[in-house]
Amino acid sequence: RSKAEGPGNATVFDSSMHDRVRERIELEAALRTALAEGQLNVVYQPIVRLESGRPVGAEALTRWNHPERGPIPPTTFIPIAEDAGLIGQLGTWVRTEGLRQLAQWRADGTVGPDFYLSVNVSPSQLRDETMPLTVSAELMRYGVPATAIALEMTESVMADDGVTARVLFELRELGMKLLVDDFGTGFSALGYLRQFPVTGVKIDRSFVSGLGENGEDEEIVRAVVAMGRALGLSIVAEGVETRVQRDALAAVGVTQGQGWLWGPGVPPEDFARHWSARLHLPGDARLGAGNP
Ligand code: C2E
Ligand code: MG
Ligand code: MG
Ligand code: MG
């Protein structure tokens, strides 16, 4: 296209590419600073039981508020962190920040002992053989049992059956939940669900958005539920925005959901204020344990 339009456009193309490269380099430098100076934050989005709307856990999502540019979305800065070799540092930061917060919530009774914190991990973090030992030391340091932590990974990590497999088995051995994030958007071969010690899947929101309108999405979700049951996997539906979607999910047997219908990720103070009461509704004694 640029050829047909003449050399003038080629120059424009070059300079816009140049801008993008410069933008990238600037963001990478800014992200380094943000990590070093503590400009990153974690928000917590509830994962709820569909029928009651009660939280069973929360997903930790990283937020970056750039001092001049304002909020930069994770879909922009996570790939930069991965390319720049910063994802290990970022991943350790979000995990320890989440653990510290969970330990506090468990201690002050905001959440009960069965509440779990779900943290996203990037593929390269799982290719680090020292990760399981590091994580188990962190769990001890914060006094949080491994069963209260879930790690979310995309299907792409299962493409590596060497180091990643060993790391996943060790993490599972510790007792952590291992969830496949954005389930259904990666490769279609499902054999990895048997080869890796996965404990659950999060159905990608692209299959949830059409529920109630699109019969095919409903059939896909139904099939995931059947497969999950056969393999003993937990199932969470992501990106639930409407009651129609929630009801369609419940009708095909999905029990847990996450999405704007219940609420977005919020800072820890807001999470405690808004969700703690729901965590302690009468009728589920275990969730209330630890309260004075
Ligand atoms: P994800 O792990 O699949 O997280 C869910 C994303 O969907 C979040 O976007 C969340 O804010 C958004 N979401 C939640 N409910 C709804 C809904 O009802 N409708 C819609 N349209 N969206 C909803 P967010 O926070 O922008 O994060 C995007 C992605 O960035 C995450 O997708 C995850 O892959 C990655 N990410 C975020 N934080 C971290 C992190 O600390 N480490 C790593 N490795 N990745 C992270
Ligand atoms: Mg996730
Ligand atoms: Mg997800
Ligand atoms: Mg997703």
Side-chain angles (χ1 to χ4, degrees):
R1 189 167 154 256
S2 70
K3 242 184 213 158
E5 283 167 358
N9 278 323
T11 315
V12 172
F13 177 68
D14 278 347
S15 84
S16 84
M17 235 177 68
H18 182 261
D19 285 350
R20 281 209 301 276
V21 170
R22 200 180 50 197
E23 159 90 0
R24 179 90 179 191
I25 290 168
E26 278 174 16
L27 275 181
E28 184 184 318
L31 183 59
R32 267 179 218 283
T33 307
L35 273 164
E37 296 183 356
Q39 292 169 13
L40 299 180
N41 292 298
V42 184
V43 295
Y44 299 85
Q45 184 178 30
I47 299 168
V48 308
R49 220 171 262 303
L50 285 186
E51 90 275 12
S52 63
R54 257 187 237 191
V56 291
E59 180 173 2
L61 295 161
T62 302
R63 293 288 177 265
W64 178 18
N65 199 9
H66 189 286
E68 283 118 42
R69 294 164 183 241
I72 297 178
T75 45
T76 299
F77 69 78
I78 294 292
I80 293 177
E82 283 168 348
D83 288 353
L86 294 170
I87 195 68
Q89 194 187 341
L90 190 154
T92 300
W93 175 79
V94 63
R95 195 173 60 230
T96 51
E97 180 55 25
L99 276 171
R100 191 195 57 72
Q101 187 61 67
L102 179 63
Q104 187 194 313
W105 281 341
R106 286 167 61 95
D108 71 18
T110 298
V111 306
D114 294 335
F115 181 94
Y116 69 94
L117 183 73
S118 210
V119 181
N120 294 285
V121 294
S122 286
S124 68
Q125 294 181 264
L126 298 170
R127 287 194 296 268
D128 172 5
E129 273 171 308
T130 67
M131 193 217 189
L133 197 63
T134 308
V135 172
S136 94
E138 289 166 1
L139 290 168
M140 277 199 275
R141 175 170 157 217
Y142 290 101
V144 169
T147 49
I149 302 295
L151 299 179
E152 300 189 7
M153 63 210 74
T154 53
E155 288 170 313
S156 63
V157 309
M158 317 293 171
D160 171 19
D161 59 1
V163 175
T164 299
R166 278 206 301 282
V167 167
L168 289 178
F169 274 100
E170 284 177 35
L171 291 168
R172 181 67 197 124
E173 191 72 18
L174 291 173
M176 296 196 161
K177 304 181 207 310
L178 301 176
L179 310 179
V180 179
D181 207 349
D182 307 335
F183 184 75
T185 60
F187 51 77
S188 50
L190 293 173
Y192 71 83
L193 290 173
R194 280 188 299 151
Q195 288 159 32
F196 293 88
V198 166
T199 61
V201 301
K202 296 185 79 175
I203 302 175
D204 190 66
R205 75 162 186 268
S206 58
F207 302 107
V208 171
S209 56
L211 290 177
E213 298 154 21
N214 182 335
E216 283 180 1
D217 285 344
E218 201 162 303
E219 284 314 312
I220 289 172
V221 174
R222 201 188 292 278
V224 173
V225 171
M227 181 202 69
R229 284 210 181 114
L231 297 175
L233 301 173
S234 70
I235 295 174
V236 177
E238 295 191 306
V240 184
E241 296 180 354
T242 69
R243 274 175 281 187
V244 170
Q245 291 163 358
R246 179 198 60 195
D247 295 346
L249 288 162
V252 297
V254 175
T255 55
Q256 292 180 32
Q258 178 182 354
W260 296 341
L261 176 63
W262 297 284
V266 292
E269 317 78 65
D270 296 353
F271 189 91
R273 196 168 40 238
H274 189 266
W275 291 103
S276 182
R278 295 219 61 129
L279 278 155
H280 297 297
L281 286 176
D284 192 342
R286 280 175 315 158
L287 287 177
N291 240 6

